[in-house]
Amino acid sequence: MTNRLSALQEARAGYQPKLPAVLRNGANQVSLTEGENQYPAYDQETLEGLFPNTYGLPIITFEEGSSAGQAAFKVGVILSGGQAPGGHNVIAGLYDGLKSLNPANELLGFKGGPQGLMDNDFVTFTDEFINDYRNTGGFDIIGSGRTKLEEEEQFDLVAANCEKEGVAALVIIGGDDSNTNACVLAEYYAGKNVPIKVVGCPKTIDGDLKNEFIETSFGFDTATKVYSELIGNIQRDANSAKKYYHFIRVMGRSASHIALECALQTQPNMCLISEEIEKDGLTLEQVAEQITDVVVKRAAKDLNFGVILIPEGIIEFVPAMKTLIGELNDLLAHGKTAEEFLGAQDEVALEALGLTAASAASFISIPPAIRKQFVMDRDPHGNVQVSLIESEKMLIEMVKRQLDVKKAAGEYNGKFASQNHFFGYEGRCAAPNNFDADYCYSLGYTAAALLGAGKTGYLSSVRNLTQGADNWIAGGIPVTSMMNIERRHGHDKPVIKKALVELDGSPFQTFVANRDQWAAENCYVYPGPIQYFGPAEVCDQTTITIQLEQN
Ligand code: FBP
């Protein structure tokens, strides 16, 4: 059978995403208000020196108005980094917004992420092309990539390609790193009087590109709802069979926002939060002890089952593991081999290979089956790929060991059978729910309005997100205001500050207020699948994270 559209795809193609009221008559029917100048919270002097043209720009808000017609221009767009639900709608919103400014405007989609800009590999969008992708998940419209656009030669190459094609502006749809690079590019072109504007759109399921004005990154809402549905289903299975502990690792390269949101949605028996583990300076053994405690207490009530969420990034937040990974990266980059570490029989042998005593002990504490994941697969920079470390399996092994000890000491008399899961790719390309379909379309449309106003160095911003699209506020935030200086690969670099889970914030505090009860009892919530059609209270719910943050 040839490719066909599912019934939902057919119906969803006709969905008209909601825009903020102010944009509904077109990106040309707005007036632009410049608010207060925005400055970064850290490293102001250094950043001002690095970004003389794009530092301290004002916040922009669009209001109802009208603008004079303007000459047509061409825009290039890329998708950068990991997939996130709604990327196609950002492009559709950008396309429609540009056409509303001037029907002769053109949008070029550069293929495969930043690399496409350097290879000058693009497609020119038409109505027919765009229509096939409206409200669909995935990034397959033009593909994405993780090539970094950060060297001056690359910037010059991109400028040459843009000049050749007559492209006057670029839209970078990406996370914190891609938008950092977008901002550096904007500054470089402004400084050299290259007439190319650069605007970004905040993407990542990880939810860690956010601040006062960027209330959430797109894709986080849909992805966490997909994972929450799956977690709810597993909870129901656990509560039916009453024989398994399910250890579920959920994506989130660094921050634990996804795990926390899923916990608030589903109320599992436990959810580890990396940021808290780091603050408490716990070892992995202590993290396992926390889980063991819950298993033992539940067993005393004859509850030998449960669900435990683990954030993907956990390993790098356990201080001893972070140190170990750093030392391994270094030693492997300087001649030592994975086989040597795997063959070492004890701590003395590991120290002879160059590990410190503390790291040798940490390495030995890792279950042998998992040790390999710490010394194999490096990324192009020689770093361990943390997402490939199966921390859920590692913790299962450690908890088993601890339970055996307790059983032998007569402190535990339950049964422990486990299942492990990793949820990530299951959610990244889901068809955007109403929130992400609307939000993404609005972000793209707003980006068009920013470019129509000749702005550069801005991130498209749609705010007031819990109040319904009618009341959303569209505008732009200068990217330099989100930056700080961080040490990366031995150099000080300006980067957008990653938003980690705030331990004094309302989402985490709400979790803390409930977690003991969730551990001791079964308070499971079963969110069910995303609904695309139906009552607003079922279809248009925002994440609990954003609801709590805004109240
Ligand atoms: P972005 O930050 O680029 O949006 O990617 C997020 C993410 O999905 C992480 O949650 C995950 O750790 C990573 O991408 C996986 O990367 P890859 O797609 O290369 O396997």
Side-chain angles (χ1 to χ4, degrees), residues 80-83 146 203-206 251-253 312 387 425 428:
S80 184
Q83 283 71 250
R146 290 196 187 276
K203 171 235 73 169
T204 175
I205 59 162
D206 290 4
M251 258 192 188
R253 171 71 184 75
E312 182 188 25
S387 63
Y425 301 102
R428 293 202 314 185

Side-chain angles (χ1 to χ4, degrees), residues 318-346:
V318 174
M321 288 292 148
K322 192 174 175 180
T323 310
L324 167 65
I325 287 170
E327 289 181 22
L328 287 173
N329 286 344
D330 228 42
L331 292 167
L332 288 166
H334 291 97
K336 294 283 182 285
T337 64
E339 289 69 31
E340 285 179 278
F341 287 102
L342 294 173
Q345 295 301 320
D346 53 24

Side-chain angles (χ1 to χ4, degrees), residues 3-13 136 431:
N3 277 1
R4 64 177 176 85
L5 293 186
S6 67
L8 179 65
Q9 273 178 299
E10 297 258 11
R12 197 64 182 160
T136 58

Side-chain angles (χ1 to χ4, degrees), residues 202 207 209-210 214-218 220-221 435 439 465 543 546:
L209 173 50
K210 66 174 174 180
I214 304 298
E215 296 176 358
T216 187
S217 54
F218 78 75
F220 176 71
D221 193 302
F435 174 82
Y439 180 47
L465 294 173
T543 58
I546 201 170

Side-chain angles (χ1 to χ4, degrees), residues 177-217:
D177 276 349
S178 309
N179 277 298
T180 293
N181 295 342
C183 184
V184 175
L185 191 63
E187 174 64 37
Y188 183 78
Y189 290 158
K192 296 218 152 191
N193 289 320
V194 175
I196 302 172
K197 313 288 184 203
V198 187
V199 160
C201 285
K203 171 235 73 169
T204 175
I205 59 162
D206 290 4
D208 55 10
L209 173 50
K210 66 174 174 180
N211 53 50
E212 186 187 349
F213 301 114
I214 304 298
E215 296 176 358
T216 187
S217 54

